Amino acid sequence: MIPSFIADLTRNQSYDQDNFFLIAGPCVVESEDLVMEVAERVSGICKKLGIPYIFKASYRKANRTSAGSFTGIGDDNGLALIKKAGERFQLPTTSDIHAHEEAAMAAPYIDILQIPAFLCRQTDLLIAAAETGKVVNVKKGQFLSGPSMKFAVEKIRKAGNDKIILTERGTTFGYQDLVVDYRNIPWMQEQGVPVVMDCTHSLQQPNQTTGVTGGNPQLIGTIAKAAIAAGADGLFIETHPNPAVAKSDGANMLQLDLLEPLLEKLVKLRKAVI
């Protein structure tokens, strides 16, 4: 079943109550054209397949490897475009925040505040996000086990917010690779929260000497299918019409044209395992 607070956010959409939900969009707001194209196309695919959909784009990328990496088009501009896409296509939206003062700034524009994996233990950030009353999606740190995420959940609940999502995004394996431990999905679900599988960032190859993170996007389908089989409540997929020219994380995003055939398979798999 779709979690109640996700069902509330997606109440304008028609979907199968037994389906997984999808968080998807480009890594970062590059332009209005990109935001609108991705939101419209993914929304259409999800309507066709009965998948509740949440549009995702970062208004700012704060955790870049190189000082020369693209970080965004400005906070106000980025947030305004995310909100515009949500209103135009009647979609809930999400973006990541990086410091406690960003929570109140971003909350009027988006429905879900995403906490980056590297910041999942930042108490002031978690509390500030919780106090907005918005849904809070915390990505599991690459350095943490699934069971240890109970402390992030406790911090948010003690701040008076029970609308929590946890996202698995892989675990550090050496200096330049990640692996996915699918035990983390049921382990994190023990906290009574929905668990999402990040199918793109879990395939990153960080710490490249070029200053640009690598990736293995050809394995996105593998990660997604295994997550659905393991009982994930939702999937997170970053997608772009042409990842080769994307301004952030192009090495691990799914080409937009490949999204529909992948989701078709995942919907069939979901029906087989529930």
mmCIF file of all heavy atoms in Angstrom, residues 83-133:
data_model
loop_
_atom_site.group_PDB
_atom_site.id
_atom_site.type_symbol
_atom_site.label_atom_id
_atom_site.label_comp_id
_atom_site.label_asym_id
_atom_site.label_seq_id
_atom_site.Cartn_x
_atom_site.Cartn_y
_atom_site.Cartn_z
ATOM 1 N N LYS A 83 8.705 24.521 -8.213
ATOM 2 C CA LYS A 83 7.309 24.781 -7.830
ATOM 3 C C LYS A 83 6.432 24.944 -9.065
ATOM 4 O O LYS A 83 5.300 24.433 -9.106
ATOM 5 C CB LYS A 83 7.237 26.028 -6.960
ATOM 6 C CG LYS A 83 5.831 26.315 -6.443
ATOM 7 C CD LYS A 83 5.810 27.493 -5.494
ATOM 8 C CE LYS A 83 4.412 27.731 -4.942
ATOM 9 N NZ LYS A 83 4.377 28.881 -4.010
ATOM 10 N N LYS A 84 6.933 25.615 -10.078
ATOM 11 C CA LYS A 84 6.168 25.831 -11.309
ATOM 12 C C LYS A 84 5.844 24.511 -11.984
ATOM 13 O O LYS A 84 4.716 24.298 -12.461
ATOM 14 C CB LYS A 84 6.953 26.735 -12.250
ATOM 15 C CG LYS A 84 6.214 27.116 -13.520
ATOM 16 C CD LYS A 84 7.029 28.104 -14.355
ATOM 17 C CE LYS A 84 6.295 28.513 -15.624
ATOM 18 N NZ LYS A 84 7.082 29.505 -16.417
ATOM 19 N N ALA A 85 6.817 23.592 -12.027
ATOM 20 C CA ALA A 85 6.587 22.278 -12.616
ATOM 21 C C ALA A 85 5.529 21.510 -11.827
ATOM 22 O O ALA A 85 4.648 20.864 -12.401
ATOM 23 C CB ALA A 85 7.887 21.482 -12.684
ATOM 24 N N GLY A 86 5.622 21.582 -10.509
ATOM 25 C CA GLY A 86 4.646 20.896 -9.676
ATOM 26 C C GLY A 86 3.238 21.406 -9.904
ATOM 27 O O GLY A 86 2.280 20.629 -9.994
ATOM 28 N N GLU A 87 3.102 22.728 -10.008
ATOM 29 C CA GLU A 87 1.784 23.314 -10.214
ATOM 30 C C GLU A 87 1.257 23.018 -11.617
ATOM 31 O O GLU A 87 0.074 22.721 -11.793
ATOM 32 C CB GLU A 87 1.861 24.821 -9.977
ATOM 33 C CG GLU A 87 2.090 25.184 -8.515
ATOM 34 C CD GLU A 87 2.302 26.663 -8.295
ATOM 35 O OE1 GLU A 87 2.557 27.402 -9.291
ATOM 36 O OE2 GLU A 87 2.233 27.094 -7.131
ATOM 37 N N ARG A 88 2.122 23.094 -12.620
ATOM 38 C CA ARG A 88 1.671 22.883 -13.997
ATOM 39 C C ARG A 88 1.172 21.463 -14.219
ATOM 40 O O ARG A 88 0.160 21.243 -14.893
ATOM 41 C CB ARG A 88 2.807 23.196 -14.974
ATOM 42 C CG ARG A 88 2.420 22.960 -16.441
ATOM 43 C CD ARG A 88 3.515 23.346 -17.403
ATOM 44 N NE ARG A 88 3.783 24.776 -17.375
ATOM 45 C CZ ARG A 88 4.685 25.378 -18.152
ATOM 46 N NH1 ARG A 88 5.412 24.660 -19.014
ATOM 47 N NH2 ARG A 88 4.873 26.676 -18.075
ATOM 48 N N PHE A 89 1.877 20.482 -13.647
ATOM 49 C CA PHE A 89 1.526 19.083 -13.900
ATOM 50 C C PHE A 89 0.866 18.417 -12.702
ATOM 51 O O PHE A 89 0.675 17.207 -12.704
ATOM 52 C CB PHE A 89 2.783 18.314 -14.332
ATOM 53 C CG PHE A 89 3.422 18.888 -15.568
ATOM 54 C CD1 PHE A 89 4.611 19.600 -15.483
ATOM 55 C CD2 PHE A 89 2.816 18.771 -16.809
ATOM 56 C CE1 PHE A 89 5.209 20.157 -16.618
ATOM 57 C CE2 PHE A 89 3.390 19.321 -17.944
ATOM 58 C CZ PHE A 89 4.583 20.019 -17.853
ATOM 59 N N GLN A 90 0.514 19.215 -11.676
ATOM 60 C CA GLN A 90 -0.163 18.720 -10.473
ATOM 61 C C GLN A 90 0.619 17.587 -9.818
ATOM 62 O O GLN A 90 0.084 16.496 -9.565
ATOM 63 C CB GLN A 90 -1.597 18.298 -10.792
ATOM 64 C CG GLN A 90 -2.496 19.454 -11.221
ATOM 65 C CD GLN A 90 -3.951 19.052 -11.313
ATOM 66 O OE1 GLN A 90 -4.329 18.184 -12.106
ATOM 67 N NE2 GLN A 90 -4.789 19.664 -10.495
ATOM 68 N N LEU A 91 1.887 17.879 -9.541
ATOM 69 C CA LEU A 91 2.790 16.900 -8.959
ATOM 70 C C LEU A 91 3.344 17.395 -7.627
ATOM 71 O O LEU A 91 3.677 18.574 -7.503
ATOM 72 C CB LEU A 91 3.982 16.647 -9.890
ATOM 73 C CG LEU A 91 3.694 16.112 -11.292
ATOM 74 C CD1 LEU A 91 4.974 16.146 -12.112
ATOM 75 C CD2 LEU A 91 3.136 14.700 -11.212
ATOM 76 N N PRO A 92 3.493 16.515 -6.637
ATOM 77 C CA PRO A 92 4.304 16.869 -5.483
ATOM 78 C C PRO A 92 5.768 16.944 -5.903
ATOM 79 O O PRO A 92 6.168 16.316 -6.890
ATOM 80 C CB PRO A 92 4.065 15.712 -4.502
ATOM 81 C CG PRO A 92 3.653 14.567 -5.361
ATOM 82 C CD PRO A 92 2.949 15.156 -6.553
ATOM 83 N N THR A 93 6.552 17.716 -5.187
ATOM 84 C CA THR A 93 7.943 17.939 -5.583
ATOM 85 C C THR A 93 8.889 17.745 -4.407
ATOM 86 O O THR A 93 8.492 17.828 -3.242
ATOM 87 C CB THR A 93 8.125 19.369 -6.131
ATOM 88 O OG1 THR A 93 7.749 20.310 -5.110
ATOM 89 C CG2 THR A 93 7.277 19.606 -7.370
ATOM 90 N N THR A 94 10.154 17.522 -4.748
ATOM 91 C CA THR A 94 11.181 17.378 -3.725
ATOM 92 C C THR A 94 12.508 17.924 -4.213
ATOM 93 O O THR A 94 12.783 17.963 -5.415
ATOM 94 C CB THR A 94 11.346 15.903 -3.288
ATOM 95 O OG1 THR A 94 12.293 15.826 -2.214
ATOM 96 C CG2 THR A 94 11.841 15.024 -4.427
ATOM 97 N N SER A 95 13.320 18.353 -3.260
ATOM 98 C CA SER A 95 14.681 18.803 -3.535
ATOM 99 C C SER A 95 15.482 18.633 -2.256
ATOM 100 O O SER A 95 14.912 18.520 -1.162
ATOM 101 C CB SER A 95 14.685 20.275 -3.974
ATOM 102 O OG SER A 95 15.952 20.654 -4.479
ATOM 103 N N ASP A 96 16.795 18.604 -2.372
ATOM 104 C CA ASP A 96 17.631 18.422 -1.201
ATOM 105 C C ASP A 96 18.023 19.760 -0.574
ATOM 106 O O ASP A 96 18.148 20.769 -1.253
ATOM 107 C CB ASP A 96 18.883 17.591 -1.513
ATOM 108 C CG ASP A 96 19.498 17.900 -2.866
ATOM 109 O OD1 ASP A 96 18.825 18.508 -3.717
ATOM 110 O OD2 ASP A 96 20.661 17.543 -3.065
ATOM 111 N N ILE A 97 18.196 19.735 0.747
ATOM 112 C CA ILE A 97 18.689 20.890 1.487
ATOM 113 C C ILE A 97 19.981 20.487 2.193
ATOM 114 O O ILE A 97 20.206 19.306 2.465
ATOM 115 C CB ILE A 97 17.657 21.417 2.496
ATOM 116 C CG1 ILE A 97 17.283 20.339 3.524
ATOM 117 C CG2 ILE A 97 16.403 21.908 1.756
ATOM 118 C CD1 ILE A 97 16.398 20.849 4.649
ATOM 119 N N HIS A 98 20.819 21.482 2.490
ATOM 120 C CA HIS A 98 22.168 21.160 2.964
ATOM 121 C C HIS A 98 22.535 21.807 4.292
ATOM 122 O O HIS A 98 23.560 21.464 4.887
ATOM 123 C CB HIS A 98 23.196 21.580 1.907
ATOM 124 C CG HIS A 98 22.868 21.109 0.531
ATOM 125 N ND1 HIS A 98 22.058 21.821 -0.326
ATOM 126 C CD2 HIS A 98 23.195 19.961 -0.123
ATOM 127 C CE1 HIS A 98 21.918 21.163 -1.459
ATOM 128 N NE2 HIS A 98 22.577 20.030 -1.361
ATOM 129 N N ALA A 99 21.721 22.752 4.759
ATOM 130 C CA ALA A 99 21.981 23.427 6.026
ATOM 131 C C ALA A 99 20.644 23.765 6.680
ATOM 132 O O ALA A 99 19.634 23.906 5.986
ATOM 133 C CB ALA A 99 22.793 24.708 5.800
ATOM 134 N N HIS A 100 20.653 23.904 8.004
ATOM 135 C CA HIS A 100 19.376 24.057 8.714
ATOM 136 C C HIS A 100 18.595 25.287 8.268
ATOM 137 O O HIS A 100 17.369 25.273 8.225
ATOM 138 C CB HIS A 100 19.612 24.077 10.226
ATOM 139 C CG HIS A 100 20.335 25.280 10.728
ATOM 140 N ND1 HIS A 100 21.707 25.380 10.734
ATOM 141 C CD2 HIS A 100 19.856 26.451 11.237
ATOM 142 C CE1 HIS A 100 22.059 26.550 11.231
ATOM 143 N NE2 HIS A 100 20.960 27.221 11.544
ATOM 144 N N GLU A 101 19.297 26.364 7.863
ATOM 145 C CA GLU A 101 18.579 27.566 7.448
ATOM 146 C C GLU A 101 17.885 27.406 6.091
ATOM 147 O O GLU A 101 16.998 28.187 5.738
ATOM 148 C CB GLU A 101 19.527 28.771 7.400
ATOM 149 C CG GLU A 101 20.682 28.639 6.433
ATOM 150 C CD GLU A 101 21.938 28.051 7.069
ATOM 151 O OE1 GLU A 101 21.822 27.409 8.131
ATOM 152 O OE2 GLU A 101 23.031 28.258 6.496
ATOM 153 N N GLU A 102 18.279 26.380 5.338
ATOM 154 C CA GLU A 102 17.644 26.142 4.042
ATOM 155 C C GLU A 102 16.257 25.509 4.182
ATOM 156 O O GLU A 102 15.449 25.584 3.254
ATOM 157 C CB GLU A 102 18.509 25.232 3.171
ATOM 158 C CG GLU A 102 19.791 25.864 2.654
ATOM 159 C CD GLU A 102 20.554 24.915 1.755
ATOM 160 O OE1 GLU A 102 19.927 24.245 0.909
ATOM 161 O OE2 GLU A 102 21.780 24.830 1.914
ATOM 162 N N ALA A 103 15.986 24.889 5.305
ATOM 163 C CA ALA A 103 14.710 24.190 5.472
ATOM 164 C C ALA A 103 13.533 25.151 5.334
ATOM 165 O O ALA A 103 12.611 24.926 4.549
ATOM 166 C CB ALA A 103 14.675 23.474 6.821
ATOM 167 N N ALA A 104 13.575 26.235 6.097
ATOM 168 C CA ALA A 104 12.480 27.204 6.037
ATOM 169 C C ALA A 104 12.435 27.910 4.696
ATOM 170 O O ALA A 104 11.354 28.284 4.223
ATOM 171 C CB ALA A 104 12.634 28.220 7.172
ATOM 172 N N MET A 105 13.589 28.102 4.069
ATOM 173 C CA MET A 105 13.635 28.756 2.760
ATOM 174 C C MET A 105 12.988 27.892 1.687
ATOM 175 O O MET A 105 12.217 28.382 0.849
ATOM 176 C CB MET A 105 15.081 29.038 2.363
ATOM 177 C CG MET A 105 15.241 29.647 0.975
ATOM 178 S SD MET A 105 16.956 29.775 0.451
ATOM 179 C CE MET A 105 17.355 28.056 0.093
ATOM 180 N N ALA A 106 13.270 26.581 1.696
ATOM 181 C CA ALA A 106 12.809 25.686 0.639
ATOM 182 C C ALA A 106 11.384 25.198 0.852
ATOM 183 O O ALA A 106 10.672 24.897 -0.116
ATOM 184 C CB ALA A 106 13.747 24.487 0.536
ATOM 185 N N ALA A 107 10.937 25.118 2.094
ATOM 186 C CA ALA A 107 9.642 24.513 2.409
ATOM 187 C C ALA A 107 8.453 25.114 1.659
ATOM 188 O O ALA A 107 7.542 24.377 1.266
ATOM 189 C CB ALA A 107 9.394 24.556 3.920
ATOM 190 N N PRO A 108 8.389 26.426 1.427
ATOM 191 C CA PRO A 108 7.232 26.960 0.695
ATOM 192 C C PRO A 108 7.154 26.515 -0.767
ATOM 193 O O PRO A 108 6.106 26.642 -1.392
ATOM 194 C CB PRO A 108 7.439 28.479 0.778
ATOM 195 C CG PRO A 108 8.315 28.690 1.967
ATOM 196 C CD PRO A 108 9.233 27.508 1.966
ATOM 197 N N TYR A 109 8.254 25.994 -1.289
ATOM 198 C CA TYR A 109 8.317 25.645 -2.713
ATOM 199 C C TYR A 109 8.136 24.159 -2.986
ATOM 200 O O TYR A 109 7.779 23.772 -4.095
ATOM 201 C CB TYR A 109 9.672 26.076 -3.289
ATOM 202 C CG TYR A 109 9.910 27.558 -3.292
ATOM 203 C CD1 TYR A 109 10.492 28.186 -2.200
ATOM 204 C CD2 TYR A 109 9.569 28.341 -4.400
ATOM 205 C CE1 TYR A 109 10.726 29.552 -2.196
ATOM 206 C CE2 TYR A 109 9.808 29.711 -4.404
ATOM 207 C CZ TYR A 109 10.387 30.310 -3.296
ATOM 208 O OH TYR A 109 10.616 31.664 -3.298
ATOM 209 N N ILE A 110 8.451 23.302 -2.010
ATOM 210 C CA ILE A 110 8.479 21.858 -2.250
ATOM 211 C C ILE A 110 7.706 21.112 -1.167
ATOM 212 O O ILE A 110 7.426 21.648 -0.094
ATOM 213 C CB ILE A 110 9.929 21.328 -2.323
ATOM 214 C CG1 ILE A 110 10.695 21.639 -1.037
ATOM 215 C CG2 ILE A 110 10.650 21.901 -3.537
ATOM 216 C CD1 ILE A 110 12.122 21.139 -1.026
ATOM 217 N N ASP A 111 7.362 19.869 -1.464
ATOM 218 C CA ASP A 111 6.547 19.061 -0.555
ATOM 219 C C ASP A 111 7.369 18.108 0.304
ATOM 220 O O ASP A 111 6.928 17.714 1.387
ATOM 221 C CB ASP A 111 5.535 18.249 -1.369
ATOM 222 C CG ASP A 111 4.625 19.147 -2.181
ATOM 223 O OD1 ASP A 111 3.747 19.786 -1.580
ATOM 224 O OD2 ASP A 111 4.797 19.220 -3.415
ATOM 225 N N ILE A 112 8.526 17.700 -0.191
ATOM 226 C CA ILE A 112 9.390 16.770 0.530
ATOM 227 C C ILE A 112 10.796 17.365 0.615
ATOM 228 O O ILE A 112 11.380 17.717 -0.414
ATOM 229 C CB ILE A 112 9.443 15.393 -0.166
ATOM 230 C CG1 ILE A 112 8.050 14.772 -0.254
ATOM 231 C CG2 ILE A 112 10.398 14.453 0.568
ATOM 232 C CD1 ILE A 112 8.007 13.460 -1.052
ATOM 233 N N LEU A 113 11.309 17.487 1.824
ATOM 234 C CA LEU A 113 12.672 17.954 2.020
ATOM 235 C C LEU A 113 13.598 16.748 2.070
ATOM 236 O O LEU A 113 13.425 15.855 2.906
ATOM 237 C CB LEU A 113 12.795 18.753 3.318
ATOM 238 C CG LEU A 113 11.946 20.023 3.416
ATOM 239 C CD1 LEU A 113 12.093 20.649 4.788
ATOM 240 C CD2 LEU A 113 12.336 21.017 2.337
ATOM 241 N N GLN A 114 14.565 16.710 1.171
ATOM 242 C CA GLN A 114 15.485 15.576 1.093
ATOM 243 C C GLN A 114 16.789 15.911 1.808
ATOM 244 O O GLN A 114 17.389 16.962 1.570
ATOM 245 C CB GLN A 114 15.761 15.244 -0.372
ATOM 246 C CG GLN A 114 16.736 14.095 -0.574
ATOM 247 C CD GLN A 114 16.926 13.800 -2.034
ATOM 248 O OE1 GLN A 114 16.021 13.289 -2.693
ATOM 249 N NE2 GLN A 114 18.102 14.105 -2.576
ATOM 250 N N ILE A 115 17.216 15.002 2.666
ATOM 251 C CA ILE A 115 18.472 15.168 3.404
ATOM 252 C C ILE A 115 19.542 14.317 2.724
ATOM 253 O O ILE A 115 19.409 13.095 2.657
ATOM 254 C CB ILE A 115 18.329 14.738 4.878
ATOM 255 C CG1 ILE A 115 17.128 15.424 5.531
ATOM 256 C CG2 ILE A 115 19.624 15.017 5.634
ATOM 257 C CD1 ILE A 115 17.182 16.925 5.550
ATOM 258 N N PRO A 116 20.603 14.929 2.202
ATOM 259 C CA PRO A 116 21.645 14.162 1.519
ATOM 260 C C PRO A 116 22.310 13.146 2.444
ATOM 261 O O PRO A 116 22.386 13.342 3.666
ATOM 262 C CB PRO A 116 22.646 15.245 1.078
ATOM 263 C CG PRO A 116 21.840 16.504 1.022
ATOM 264 C CD PRO A 116 20.846 16.379 2.138
ATOM 265 N N ALA A 117 22.810 12.083 1.846
ATOM 266 C CA ALA A 117 23.388 10.980 2.615
ATOM 267 C C ALA A 117 24.525 11.432 3.523
ATOM 268 O O ALA A 117 24.620 11.011 4.680
ATOM 269 C CB ALA A 117 23.876 9.884 1.663
ATOM 270 N N PHE A 118 25.407 12.284 3.015
ATOM 271 C CA PHE A 118 26.534 12.743 3.823
ATOM 272 C C PHE A 118 26.094 13.534 5.050
ATOM 273 O O PHE A 118 26.861 13.702 5.999
ATOM 274 C CB PHE A 118 27.475 13.611 2.988
ATOM 275 C CG PHE A 118 28.366 12.833 2.064
ATOM 276 C CD1 PHE A 118 28.452 13.161 0.725
ATOM 277 C CD2 PHE A 118 29.139 11.772 2.529
ATOM 278 C CE1 PHE A 118 29.273 12.450 -0.140
ATOM 279 C CE2 PHE A 118 29.970 11.056 1.679
ATOM 280 C CZ PHE A 118 30.036 11.396 0.345
ATOM 281 N N LEU A 119 24.849 14.029 5.060
ATOM 282 C CA LEU A 119 24.367 14.905 6.128
ATOM 283 C C LEU A 119 23.310 14.249 7.002
ATOM 284 O O LEU A 119 22.680 14.916 7.811
ATOM 285 C CB LEU A 119 23.801 16.189 5.513
ATOM 286 C CG LEU A 119 24.767 17.004 4.651
ATOM 287 C CD1 LEU A 119 24.051 18.207 4.041
ATOM 288 C CD2 LEU A 119 25.969 17.457 5.467
ATOM 289 N N CYS A 120 23.136 12.946 6.879
ATOM 290 C CA CYS A 120 22.028 12.270 7.558
ATOM 291 C C CYS A 120 22.167 12.238 9.076
ATOM 292 O O CYS A 120 21.195 11.907 9.767
ATOM 293 C CB CYS A 120 21.851 10.850 7.019
ATOM 294 S SG CYS A 120 23.202 9.726 7.432
ATOM 295 N N ARG A 121 23.342 12.589 9.608
ATOM 296 C CA ARG A 121 23.530 12.612 11.059
ATOM 297 C C ARG A 121 23.510 14.030 11.622
ATOM 298 O O ARG A 121 23.697 14.215 12.827
ATOM 299 C CB ARG A 121 24.844 11.920 11.426
ATOM 300 C CG ARG A 121 24.858 10.437 11.122
ATOM 301 C CD ARG A 121 26.186 9.794 11.461
ATOM 302 N NE ARG A 121 26.484 9.864 12.879
ATOM 303 C CZ ARG A 121 27.633 9.432 13.427
ATOM 304 N NH1 ARG A 121 28.584 8.909 12.666
ATOM 305 N NH2 ARG A 121 27.821 9.527 14.729
ATOM 306 N N GLN A 122 23.284 15.036 10.777
ATOM 307 C CA GLN A 122 23.307 16.432 11.222
ATOM 308 C C GLN A 122 22.019 16.757 11.979
ATOM 309 O O GLN A 122 20.986 17.013 11.384
ATOM 310 C CB GLN A 122 23.475 17.368 10.033
ATOM 311 C CG GLN A 122 24.786 17.202 9.288
ATOM 312 C CD GLN A 122 25.987 17.509 10.169
ATOM 313 O OE1 GLN A 122 26.718 16.601 10.573
ATOM 314 N NE2 GLN A 122 26.165 18.774 10.486
ATOM 315 N N THR A 123 22.111 16.766 13.277
ATOM 316 C CA THR A 123 20.925 16.919 14.117
ATOM 317 C C THR A 123 20.176 18.209 13.835
ATOM 318 O O THR A 123 18.942 18.211 13.707
ATOM 319 C CB THR A 123 21.324 16.851 15.602
ATOM 320 O OG1 THR A 123 21.955 15.589 15.858
ATOM 321 C CG2 THR A 123 20.094 16.978 16.499
ATOM 322 N N ASP A 124 20.883 19.337 13.730
ATOM 323 C CA ASP A 124 20.187 20.605 13.515
ATOM 324 C C ASP A 124 19.473 20.634 12.167
ATOM 325 O O ASP A 124 18.386 21.219 12.033
ATOM 326 C CB ASP A 124 21.141 21.794 13.648
ATOM 327 C CG ASP A 124 22.312 21.747 12.676
ATOM 328 O OD1 ASP A 124 22.553 20.684 12.077
ATOM 329 O OD2 ASP A 124 23.014 22.784 12.542
ATOM 330 N N LEU A 125 20.048 19.976 11.167
ATOM 331 C CA LEU A 125 19.426 19.910 9.848
ATOM 332 C C LEU A 125 18.157 19.065 9.888
ATOM 333 O O LEU A 125 17.116 19.449 9.343
ATOM 334 C CB LEU A 125 20.416 19.340 8.838
ATOM 335 C CG LEU A 125 19.928 19.145 7.400
ATOM 336 C CD1 LEU A 125 19.452 20.457 6.800
ATOM 337 C CD2 LEU A 125 21.039 18.539 6.543
ATOM 338 N N LEU A 126 18.228 17.911 10.534
ATOM 339 C CA LEU A 126 17.060 17.035 10.641
ATOM 340 C C LEU A 126 15.928 17.704 11.415
ATOM 341 O O LEU A 126 14.753 17.625 11.019
ATOM 342 C CB LEU A 126 17.454 15.720 11.313
ATOM 343 C CG LEU A 126 18.405 14.806 10.532
ATOM 344 C CD1 LEU A 126 18.861 13.648 11.402
ATOM 345 C CD2 LEU A 126 17.745 14.280 9.266
ATOM 346 N N ILE A 127 16.259 18.370 12.491
ATOM 347 C CA ILE A 127 15.233 19.029 13.308
ATOM 348 C C ILE A 127 14.603 20.183 12.538
ATOM 349 O O ILE A 127 13.380 20.362 12.546
ATOM 350 C CB ILE A 127 15.835 19.509 14.642
ATOM 351 C CG1 ILE A 127 16.184 18.292 15.512
ATOM 352 C CG2 ILE A 127 14.857 20.428 15.377
ATOM 353 C CD1 ILE A 127 16.921 18.639 16.787
ATOM 354 N N ALA A 128 15.429 20.967 11.853
ATOM 355 C CA ALA A 128 14.893 22.097 11.085
ATOM 356 C C ALA A 128 13.960 21.612 9.983
ATOM 357 O O ALA A 128 12.898 22.203 9.739
ATOM 358 C CB ALA A 128 16.036 22.914 10.491
ATOM 359 N N ALA A 129 14.332 20.518 9.323
ATOM 360 C CA ALA A 129 13.464 19.951 8.293
ATOM 361 C C ALA A 129 12.162 19.451 8.906
ATOM 362 O O ALA A 129 11.072 19.696 8.376
ATOM 363 C CB ALA A 129 14.186 18.818 7.572
ATOM 364 N N ALA A 130 12.264 18.761 10.035
ATOM 365 C CA ALA A 130 11.066 18.232 10.701
ATOM 366 C C ALA A 130 10.119 19.348 11.099
ATOM 367 O O ALA A 130 8.891 19.224 10.961
ATOM 368 C CB ALA A 130 11.481 17.431 11.930
ATOM 369 N N GLU A 131 10.657 20.456 11.587
ATOM 370 C CA GLU A 131 9.829 21.543 12.113
ATOM 371 C C GLU A 131 9.056 22.288 11.032
ATOM 372 O O GLU A 131 8.131 23.034 11.344
ATOM 373 C CB GLU A 131 10.687 22.501 12.923
ATOM 374 C CG GLU A 131 11.145 21.888 14.255
ATOM 375 C CD GLU A 131 12.054 22.793 15.058
ATOM 376 O OE1 GLU A 131 12.612 23.758 14.459
ATOM 377 O OE2 GLU A 131 12.223 22.547 16.265
ATOM 378 N N THR A 132 9.401 22.089 9.764
ATOM 379 C CA THR A 132 8.619 22.710 8.690
ATOM 380 C C THR A 132 7.272 22.030 8.512
ATOM 381 O O THR A 132 6.368 22.592 7.891
ATOM 382 C CB THR A 132 9.362 22.639 7.342
ATOM 383 O OG1 THR A 132 9.477 21.268 6.922
ATOM 384 C CG2 THR A 132 10.746 23.283 7.429
ATOM 385 N N GLY A 133 7.141 20.807 9.023
ATOM 386 C CA GLY A 133 5.920 20.035 8.836
ATOM 387 C C GLY A 133 5.856 19.294 7.518
ATOM 388 O O GLY A 133 4.900 18.567 7.251
#
